[in-house]
Structures are given as structure tokens and as C-alpha cells.
Amino acid sequence: METINYKNKEFYVETILNRIEEGFKDLQDEWNNHQATPTKHLIIDNLLQEKEALDIFDAFPRDGSGFFNRDSFREKKKTSQSLDEFNPILGEITYALQDQRVIDAVSELTGFKSLEPDPMLYAGGLSMMFKDDFLNPHIDNSHDATRSKYRRLNLLYYVSPEWKKENGANFELWNESRDKVKTITSKFNRLVIMETNKLSWHSVSTNVFDEPRCCVSNYYFSRISPEDSEYFHVTSFSGRPEQFGKIILGKFDNCLRNTFSKITKIGRGKK
């Protein structure tokens, strides 16, 4: 089995820093003047050179072998944090996005201070969404595994070539009442950065295409709360506006899991 090396990591870091620097003002304006959703977010297209992004996509196993299958009323997708089981470049791009220089650049871009990476991949890693896979509207768990730091930013890097909006499996941001949605296409070589807090409802539409949508996910944490006070919640799911049954089920499910987690101090499983 191949061991992760870092021969490409420095190249990825330098490329990402250059992309942020060259588009800094426009990206900062996009972050501060987000439209159609209360959740701050921005998009960086063409994050890497096309060849490098294609190599990353090609490193994903086409059949999802080695990935953990998540399948419930909340979500249907495949995920993995076991980067040492795959081509080393998947680890290299993951940890390039966790490099302190990239974190500092993103911190300056967003104004979020004291950000820290997630090297144990409690929340991050790789994801694949095949035909009929989905992720229902939800807010992310508020903390890291130790509950000492708040989750502050999600960084989602999409690498499936020629991905079109009509394929589905697109990123979605909702308003607080979850009756209006902004769709962001999971476009090839696109990085989406979004804040995460009590109201940052987001989801992924159903994949209706015959090919998988592949994503490298990273999360930044901070000991600074997004609010003026401390709070805690597990990942909390709802349904889409037309899914009345899932909305009701989600309320009971969230309440039970929140209560269990607060009593036992056990978060979600790391898979």
C-alpha cells in the first residue's frame, strides 16, 4: 500500500495562494455581499491547473471501493478519511488546503480569526455521490471531536470533469426558513468556501447522472464562537420544502441525537 508523500503539496499550496491573491478584492467583495442566502460564501474557479485537477479526479476509485457508505433518510453518499489507502495526491491536495499559509490567506479573505485545520479529518476527507445519492438540508455539527473548537468554515473542492447543473449533485444554500434555495453547480476545479453557524443550512441535490460527483472536503475550526455566547448542536437535518415527513422526522431525530450527545459527550462517528 502506498504511503502519502508530499511532493505535490507545495505546488498545490503555491497555486492556491496565487489564485487567492490575484482575485482577492473580488473574492472579498463576493464574501461580504453574498446574494440569495444569509450564509456568507465565495467561489474560486480554476483553483489548480486543469491537468492537476484531472489527476486528482482520476485518483478517486471509480466504483467508490474503500469508501464508507452513508445511507439514511438524511443522506446517501460515500465518504472516506483513510487517505493512505488511495493515490497520494488525494492526501496532498487535502493537506495543501490545511497548510497554515492557505489558512492565513483564507482568514484574511473572510475576516475569520484564529482558524485551525482539521488534520485528523474528524469532519473532512473525500466524498463521492453516485446516481440517486443526495444530502438533505442540514446545519453542520457545531464543534470538533473534543468540543473545544467551533466549526467556522467549510471548503469544498469539486473535481468531476465537465460537471453540469443538470447532472444534479450540486451544492445548495438555503434561507433560514428553508423555503428558498441558491444552487451552486459542483463545477470541475471549483472551490466553494462557506461559513458554518446555527443558520448555515445547506444540502446537495440528488445526482441524476450516471457518473460520480467527487469532492475533497476540508473544515476550519476556531476557539472563537460565531455567536456572542457558547452553544452546541450535532449535525441537524431537515427535509426539502415538499418533504413534510422528513421535516417532522428530522425534528425528532435532531432532538434525540442532541440529547444523547450532550449526555454522553459522544459526537458523530468518524467514518
Side-chain angles (χ1 to χ4, degrees):
M1 185 172 296
E2 262 183 312
T3 301
I4 292 177
N5 61 60
Y6 292 94
K7 65 179 182 179
N8 295 308
K9 177 177 176 285
E10 185 64 24
F11 173 80
Y12 294 151
V13 169
E14 291 177 359
T15 304
I16 293 166
L17 291 176
N18 287 337
R19 286 291 294 118
I20 292 175
E21 182 180 3
E22 69 185 15
F24 189 89
K25 185 180 184 305
D26 289 339
L27 292 170
Q28 194 171 59
D29 287 345
E30 183 180 356
W31 179 262
N32 291 323
N33 299 286
H34 48 287
Q35 302 295 317
T37 170
T39 300
K40 290 184 176 183
H41 63 282
L42 59 84
I43 296 169
I44 304 177
D45 282 328
N46 303 313
L47 183 71
L48 301 179
Q49 297 296 319
E50 182 176 350
K51 173 63 166 61
E52 280 68 41
L54 284 171
D55 286 345
I56 292 169
F57 170 72
D58 287 339
F60 278 80
R62 283 295 167 271
D63 59 356
S65 59
F67 277 54
F68 177 77
N69 189 43
R70 295 184 177 275
D71 191 353
S72 70
F73 81 92
R74 312 177 191 98
E75 60 188 341
K76 186 174 186 293
K77 63 178 182 178
K78 293 182 181 294
T79 63
S80 180
Q81 286 80 22
S82 301
L83 300 183
D84 58 343
E85 297 181 5
F86 306 105
N87 187 307
I89 65 173
L90 294 178
E92 292 166 356
I93 182 58
T94 298
Y95 290 113
L97 286 162
Q98 293 195 28
D99 186 274
Q100 190 60 51
R101 291 163 292 177
V102 174
I103 294 172
D104 290 344
V106 171
S107 177
E108 184 179 1
L109 189 60
T110 61
F112 284 18
K113 305 301 182 183
S114 303
L115 295 174
E116 301 178 30
D118 178 26
M120 301 304 293
L121 298 180
Y122 167 70
L126 311 173
S127 74
M128 301 181 72
M129 301 191 76
F130 291 81
K131 190 172 183 180
D132 298 325
D133 286 0
F134 66 92
L135 181 59
N136 263 6
H138 65 285
I139 51 174
D140 292 322
N141 53 311
S142 58
H143 286 70
D144 67 343
T146 65
R147 298 195 190 178
S148 61
K149 293 174 283 191
Y150 291 87
R151 193 194 304 219
R152 298 303 310 276
L153 291 176
N154 293 6
L155 291 87
L156 308 170
Y157 178 47
Y158 302 108
V159 294
S160 295
E162 301 180 8
W163 199 263
K164 300 176 181 179
K165 184 176 181 179
E166 54 265 33
N167 293 352
N170 294 309
F171 187 63
E172 300 172 315
L173 290 168
W174 295 82
N175 61 347
E176 184 177 353
S177 55
R178 299 183 298 288
D179 55 8
K180 294 180 181 179
V181 65
K182 177 177 181 177
T183 299
I184 299 174
T185 303
S186 302
K187 185 179 176 182
F188 171 68
N189 205 12
R190 166 174 282 180
L191 176 68
V192 176
I193 302 177
M194 62 163 283
E195 69 174 333
T196 180
N197 53 39
K198 290 181 178 180
L199 301 178
S200 55
W201 288 91
H202 57 287
S203 58
V204 179
S205 61
T206 301
N207 185 0
V208 298
F209 196 48
D210 289 328
E211 298 294 329
R213 188 227 65 181
C214 301
C215 180
V216 178
S217 301
N218 272 285
Y219 301 90
Y220 293 169
F221 294 87
S222 174
R223 298 183 188 276
I224 301 172
S225 170
E227 307 277 329
D228 291 331
S229 59
E230 295 183 359
Y231 69 93
F232 169 80
H233 60 75
V234 298
T235 302
S236 302
F237 284 84
S238 185
R240 297 176 180 275
E242 70 278 9
Q243 296 175 324
F244 183 73
K246 285 191 175 182
I247 293 173
I248 298 300
L249 179 58
K251 290 181 178 179
F252 283 105
D253 179 64
N254 297 335
C255 181
L256 287 173
R257 288 187 299 110
N258 261 308
T259 300
F260 176 81
S261 188
K262 287 177 179 178
I263 292 174
T264 63
K265 306 297 183 183
I266 298 174
R268 69 167 180 81
K270 182 180 180 295
K271 291 284 188 179

